[in-house]
Amino acid sequence: MIKSEEVFRIGRIGKPHGIQGEVSMHFDDDVFDRQDAEYLILEIDKILVPFFMESYRFRSDSTVLIKFCGIETLEQARELTNCDVFFERDKVDSSDDELSWAQIVGFTVVNAVDNQPVGSLLAVDNSTINTLFEVETANRGIVLMPASDELIVEISTADRRIVLEIPEGLLTMN
């Protein structure tokens, strides 16, 4: 059984494409192409299920058309619509020094000043020029923090944590 901590979200299945079972996928991370993946993991009814890819082709820099093995009809493809798509963390080439934003979602954010956990990284918002971390804290709810290279002290994939130099006052703002 695949556990949620063993995977990271890379996209979501969109509408079927054509009548032969092909689907569109909107992705944030093209790790499946960089790692030459055989399968992707879809969340179906809160269960992570591997789906082997027969073929895929890029439609844009954020959309791919995928044909999964065993999905042969429009009706079967429709059942996959809006499923989140995941990739296994241990399938990512460990020699790759560059982590994608998607790979660090779920990591614990630690304050470099006192080495104390701040919360869990829920998402990375890179829709504007200033990329932000959305961090869920125990007592403040969701806090937005700058995701600047200058503020990132360390990222440990083994410990699943990211150490940040959090600007003074950010955690105490109203």
Side-chain angles (χ1 to χ4, degrees):
M1 182 171 194
I2 302 169
K3 297 177 183 169
S4 60
E5 59 272 6
E6 297 172 345
V7 297
F8 62 97
R9 186 182 179 280
I10 62 168
R12 178 175 278 236
I13 300 293
K15 297 187 288 186
H17 182 78
I19 59 171
Q20 302 296 318
E22 194 173 44
V23 295
S24 64
M25 179 180 83
H26 307 285
F27 61 90
D28 301 317
D29 189 335
D30 66 351
V31 66
F32 62 94
D33 187 51
R34 289 183 282 121
Q35 299 299 318
D36 198 25
E38 294 180 13
Y39 61 91
L40 295 175
I41 299 166
L42 277 58
E43 184 176 43
I44 299 177
D45 297 329
K46 301 195 187 277
I47 298 171
L48 297 173
V49 181
F51 279 78
F52 284 85
M53 294 183 289
E54 192 174 297
S55 63
Y56 64 87
R57 55 196 164 103
F58 288 93
R59 186 159 212 189
S60 71
D61 59 353
S62 63
T63 305
V64 65
L65 299 176
I66 301 177
K67 175 73 171 85
F68 289 112
C69 297
I71 305 298
E72 305 298 333
T73 66
L74 176 63
E75 291 75 27
Q76 289 174 320
R78 269 197 192 118
E79 292 179 24
L80 303 179
T81 301
N82 291 324
C83 287
D84 283 331
V85 181
F86 297 86
F87 196 79
E88 286 184 291
R89 291 184 188 279
D90 66 353
K91 299 288 186 202
V92 178
D93 186 0
S94 59
S95 66
D96 188 0
D97 292 334
E98 291 293 318
L99 290 171
S100 69
W101 290 127
Q103 287 176 267
I104 63 172
V105 169
F107 280 27
T108 299
V109 176
V110 176
N111 191 342
V113 173
D114 57 9
N115 206 31
Q116 292 299 308
V118 174
S120 178
L121 182 61
L122 287 181
V124 178
D125 179 357
N126 58 0
S127 62
T128 64
I129 195 164
N130 297 315
T131 303
L132 297 170
F133 289 145
E134 294 178 23
V135 180
E136 183 174 34
T137 65
N139 55 356
R140 302 216 25 97
I142 295 175
V143 176
L144 298 176
M145 297 183 184
S148 168
D149 286 340
E150 294 82 32
L151 300 178
I152 299 173
V153 176
E154 172 192 7
I155 298 176
S156 172
T157 54
D159 297 330
R160 294 181 42 81
R161 66 183 222 144
I162 180 168
V163 180
L164 293 177
E165 284 186 26
I166 299 171
E168 188 174 333
L170 184 69
L171 295 175
T172 57
M173 290 175 56
N174 290 332

